[in-house]
Amino acid sequence: MAEHVVDRRGMLRGAGVAAGAATLGGVVLAAPADAASSGLLGGWLITHRDNPPAPPDETQAVVTFAPGGVFQVIDIDPVGTPGAGSWSGSASSFHATFWAGQPGDNGSPAVVVRVRPHGKVDGDRVSGTYSVTIWDAKTHKQVGTGTGKFWGSRIDA
């Protein structure tokens, strides 16, 4: 099978997967005021958008960076399935890898998605880029790739 570059939404729509394609978008992190050792700890409200040829749709998500390298993300508008993984970085930059799955719909195959965001923190703002790789959950064959960007702000407690 030839490898094609596609956006997440296009790939998941093409597979007939129900809403939640945005679930696995770009990501980010945050830092509570007491996290002096890392500006990456905490939660952020971010917006992410896939690069062309994907449609220009934007999705909001909440991303959390926890001590020990724990990373979680969930799209909230539109709502999507959660993703989990790990992160590392400094007070001003980071990279992460997280995984999520999406069940098939109406006989379409389920997919497994890996997202790798890279970003920077500037005070209460965060921004960066991400890459996405999608596999058929049954055959484990890669069925798509894509890239995108994200930006957002810290969630205050």
Side-chain angles (χ1 to χ4, degrees), residues 101-126:
Q102 182 70 41
D105 188 32
N106 298 325
S108 66
V111 295
V112 174
V113 179
R114 180 185 66 205
V115 181
R116 291 185 163 167
H118 303 274
K120 63 182 180 175
V121 177
D122 184 8
D124 288 340
R125 307 291 302 161
V126 65

Side-chain angles (χ1 to χ4, degrees), residues 49-77:
R49 180 176 53 223
D50 294 337
N51 291 329
D57 301 338
E58 294 181 353
T59 300
Q60 283 194 310
V62 172
V63 178
T64 304
F65 283 72
V70 176
F71 179 88
Q72 295 181 325
V73 61
I74 187 164
D75 285 350
I76 60 172
D77 185 16

Side-chain angles (χ1 to χ4, degrees), residues 14-69:
V17 175
T23 298
L24 309 169
V27 222
V28 143
L29 56 126
D34 61 7
S37 63
S38 176
L40 303 179
L41 296 178
W44 291 81
L45 179 62
I46 63 127
T47 301
H48 60 85
R49 180 176 53 223
D50 294 337
N51 291 329
D57 301 338
E58 294 181 353
T59 300
Q60 283 194 310
V62 172
V63 178
T64 304
F65 283 72

